[in-house]
Amino acid sequence: DALSREDKLRILRGAVRNVAIVAAEFSHQPRLFRRGFAGQVRFEGLERLPAEGGCVLVGGHLGNWEWMAPALASQGLRLAGVVRPLDAPALNRFVDGTRRGAGVTTIPKTAAGPVLLRLLKEGWFAGLLIDQSPRNSAAPVQFFGAPCWATIGPVMAAVRAKTPVLLCTLIREADGTYRLRITDPVELT
């Protein structure tokens, strides 16, 4: 409520522009994966990842979220992403095939728990985008001062698999390249 109509429209236009850029860049994933995303993605914090693997990486739908997992997989990580299959079957086959072609194992969101736990215990890195309102398995939180629900799935998986949780972002720079940043492990209390 603190934003003006103009500010809200500016944010909306920026979000729509970003989705269009992500869609245009999506088809380049397999080629960039083979090149290790050289020249397109600058990596910060890879040294924070556990050397033995087994880690939950959480992020959100900002920058180019579709390049996060393949960019990490291009660095030699065994990476699985939990995904919500798209409603259009033909589009879902294309998107899933592109993700897999860029080195990412995809796990459908429904009933992902057992598969996710097994992979984490086997030393895989698991990526989950956590900025959508969950329908269940959620905890009440405040987001920009408003009440909403936040998923507890990634934390539950990490606790059960005894792995850390790290935040991962892939932000577009002014020159059109990206900076992939991994934080220190999140303290779970």
Side-chain angles (χ1 to χ4, degrees), residues 53-56 120-121 124 157-165 188:
C55 174
V56 174
L120 286 168
K121 289 177 181 179
W124 284 65
V159 167
R160 288 182 179 161
K162 296 179 176 52
T163 62
V165 176
L188 301 180

Side-chain angles (χ1 to χ4, degrees), residues 22 26 29 62-71 95 99 129 170:
V22 170
F26 185 74
Q29 281 181 189
L62 42 116
N64 187 332
W65 62 89
E66 286 290 348
W67 279 10
M68 273 195 295
V95 169
R99 288 171 175 157
L129 299 177
L170 185 67

